[in-house]
Amino acid sequence: MSDNIEQALDNLVTPHGSPALNILLLEGEMLENALKKAETLPSVTMSSRERGDLIMFGIGGFTPLDGFMNKADWQGVCDDMELKSGENEGLFWPIPITLSASSEQAEGFEIGDEIALKAEDGEIMGILTLEEKYTIDKEHECRTVFGTTDTDHPGVKKVMEQAEVNLAGRVEVFSQGEFPTEYAGIYMTPTQTREEFAKKGWKKVAAFQTRNPMHRSHEYLAKIAVEICDGVMIHSLLGALKPGDIPAEVRQEAIGTLIDNYFKKDTVIQSGYPLDMRYAGPREALLHALFRQNYGCSELIVGRDHAGVGDYYGAFDAQDIFDQIPENALKTKPIKIDWTFWCNACQSMASTKTCPHDADQHVKVSGTKLRKALSEDEEVPENFSRPEVLQILRDYYATIAKEDRAKVELKGASAK
């Protein structure tokens, strides 16, 4: 790596709670030996969410954590958004990162045991060295993290369905799963994004979080950030979603087409990360900022209903929560943007801060509205999305029989 790149890397925001990324992914001879050992160990099968979390440990996305949380940290994160044990005591963290096992399995494990961590397809993904076994009040986690215990909430449902006992301990990670191959050129580790930013000479970098193909409001948000930053990373979630959300490979194609046709060259890059959505609204917005700090981003774009679902959160709760945490909790700061929409009078995208016209001139766009229109084969107004993007999405929905399409309901901020 050249001296110029090394210097440019030093100009990026430092990782969360650490001067360097905490990368737990094994390579070479260490990986070979660990894999052989893991085949002889008792094992736990991880959920999709836990698997994504393990990969983030491996690539340094959850720096400075070195494994799944113990009970003190679980309690501290739920109640105070703060780690409570070890060398990271007092460090800000907004959502528990935990691993669960059945009571029967947990009874067979002793403190100090090494446990192989398997994906649902049987792949051995890593080893956990057991430091603690504990039970939790699942409803308490849901109330504090999601603000509800309603099992219609997809994040709540996952927590309530997880196994009875949490297993805490340091991890060694063997694999990044299918992400580097299935999403080659899109999936990037924090090390890779930092190097990419450095090569481009970017210091002030905004992350744009998305689990949807980008519509006109998303495009507008990203372009606002381009105006005030050196560059924008459009960062797509590549893990599991809820029924009715559009798969990662379709989003990837749609976003790439949008970038090629409607953004100036070298102002944005598209990337992806391996987590499942938790749909935790405000708390998840904080987690998004935290791990984007690890990816090298100094800003996170936070628009309407960030990481929300249904009508569980207010339109701007995810912005307000950044004002409720200590000022030094995160180095990555929010770029807060108001309602954005197409204004028929302005004949352009605008926001409530810039447009003087009445609401009857505004066409409010949301990913949910777009998915609903496409899933029901309705006409989509041209001011909702770019035509090249719409064609990709229509082609995708054409592959799904109408009776097999998930019902999309308009609730909360997305219905306005």
Side-chain angles (χ1 to χ4, degrees):
M1 190 180 298
S2 71
D3 291 342
N4 288 341
I5 298 296
E6 288 280 8
Q7 185 176 358
L9 283 168
D10 290 340
N11 291 328
L12 294 171
V13 64
T14 55
H16 184 59
S18 174
L21 293 170
N22 188 25
I23 298 170
L24 305 178
L25 191 66
L26 300 185
E27 296 179 334
E29 187 176 345
M30 289 181 67
L31 174 59
E32 289 179 18
N33 292 338
L35 272 168
K36 288 177 184 175
K37 178 172 67 173
E39 291 172 355
T40 69
L41 298 175
S43 67
V44 166
T45 298
M46 299 175 290
S47 68
S48 176
R49 186 198 74 191
E50 292 164 346
R51 175 180 181 265
D53 291 346
L54 182 71
I55 295 171
M56 284 289 272
F57 287 135
I59 62 179
F62 280 163
T63 297
L65 300 187
D66 58 14
F68 291 103
M69 290 180 179
N70 60 28
K71 188 162 190 177
D73 287 338
W74 171 84
Q75 192 80 54
V77 169
C78 286
D79 295 346
D80 302 317
M81 292 192 283
E82 186 178 284
L83 300 175
K84 297 292 187 180
S85 70
E87 60 186 21
N88 294 319
E89 183 177 356
L91 185 70
F92 176 81
W93 202 280
I95 290 180
I97 309 296
T98 58
L99 172 72
S100 64
S102 69
S103 298
E104 184 179 3
Q105 277 186 306
E107 282 179 11
F109 300 143
E110 300 292 337
I111 303 304
D113 282 356
E114 292 182 309
I115 302 166
L117 303 176
K118 290 185 176 181
E120 291 172 340
D121 65 2
E123 179 187 4
I124 300 176
M125 302 281 292
I127 292 175
L128 175 135
T129 301
L130 186 63
E131 297 173 4
E132 185 179 350
K133 302 184 288 185
Y134 62 99
T135 58
I136 62 167
D137 181 341
K138 293 180 183 179
E139 289 196 351
H140 181 71
E141 178 173 330
C142 292
R143 276 193 301 271
T144 55
V145 174
F146 301 104
T148 179
T149 58
D150 182 357
T151 53
D152 284 341
H153 184 296
V156 170
K157 186 173 186 290
K158 284 185 179 180
V159 171
M160 297 306 292
E161 289 178 349
Q162 71 189 34
E164 301 86 7
V165 179
N166 281 359
L167 307 178
R170 296 172 182 268
V171 297
E172 299 170 291
V173 185
F174 300 167
S175 170
Q176 298 177 65
E178 75 284 1
F179 295 105
T181 51
E182 284 194 16
Y183 304 105
I186 299 295
Y187 171 78
M188 299 170 74
T189 68
T191 300
Q192 291 169 325
T193 58
R194 286 174 170 272
E195 289 177 355
E196 187 67 22
F197 301 157
K199 288 175 186 175
K200 292 182 178 296
W202 293 357
K203 299 177 185 177
K204 186 176 181 180
V205 185
F208 178 75
Q209 154 71 29
T210 183
R211 68 177 193 260
N212 289 305
M214 291 175 69
H215 50 62
R216 289 296 298 273
S217 281
H218 292 151
E219 178 188 336
Y220 184 61
L221 296 179
K223 286 180 174 176
I224 290 172
V226 168
E227 292 282 3
I228 61 174
C229 296
D230 298 321
V232 171
M233 177 172 71
I234 297 171
H235 209 202
S236 295
L237 177 135
L238 300 177
L241 298 159
K242 61 181 172 59
D245 283 350
I246 293 171
E249 59 273 13
V250 180
R251 282 182 279 123
Q252 174 186 325
E253 182 184 1
I255 292 168
T257 297
L258 183 70
I259 291 172
D260 290 343
N261 287 283
Y262 295 100
F263 283 87
K264 186 174 179 179
K265 186 175 174 59
D266 289 330
T267 60
V268 298
I269 62 171
Q270 182 183 183
S271 181
Y273 65 100
L275 291 182
D276 288 9
M277 276 298 295
R278 284 169 160 85
Y279 301 97
R283 286 268 191 138
E284 192 158 7
L286 295 173
L287 184 68
H288 285 166
L290 186 155
F291 70 72
R292 268 35 178 270
Q293 183 177 328
N294 290 331
Y295 276 85
C297 298
S298 55
E299 270 79 21
L300 173 70
I301 300 167
V302 185
R304 174 192 53 75
D305 200 30
H306 186 107
V309 62
D311 55 2
Y312 292 99
Y313 310 109
F316 296 103
D317 286 357
Q319 293 185 358
D320 296 339
I321 199 169
F322 282 88
D323 299 326
Q324 299 162 18
I325 63 173
E327 187 176 351
N328 63 350
L330 293 168
K331 294 183 184 297
T332 296
K333 303 301 182 183
I335 298 175
K336 301 178 183 180
I337 303 176
D338 213 324
W339 278 98
T340 57
F341 43 78
W342 174 269
C343 175
N344 288 323
C346 292
Q347 279 294 292
S348 67
M349 295 300 301
S351 77
T352 50
K353 288 187 176 181
T354 62
C355 178
H357 300 109
D358 293 338
D360 59 6
Q361 296 290 334
H362 300 165
V363 180
K364 290 182 177 174
V365 184
S366 74
T368 309
K369 283 182 179 177
L370 184 58
R371 290 197 308 275
K372 180 175 174 63
L374 289 165
S375 67
E376 295 174 6
D377 291 330
E378 296 176 354
E379 284 296 315
V380 178
E382 62 180 17
N383 46 30
F384 257 52
S385 187
R386 297 294 189 178
E388 298 90 341
V389 173
L390 281 177
Q391 190 56 55
I392 291 168
L393 299 180
R394 287 194 183 101
D395 289 346
Y396 161 69
Y397 278 100
T399 67
I400 308 173
K402 285 188 178 181
E403 61 270 20
D404 293 333
R405 298 177 188 177
K407 184 179 180 182
V408 180
E409 296 182 356
L410 296 178
K411 293 182 177 180
S414 67
K416 296 182 181 178

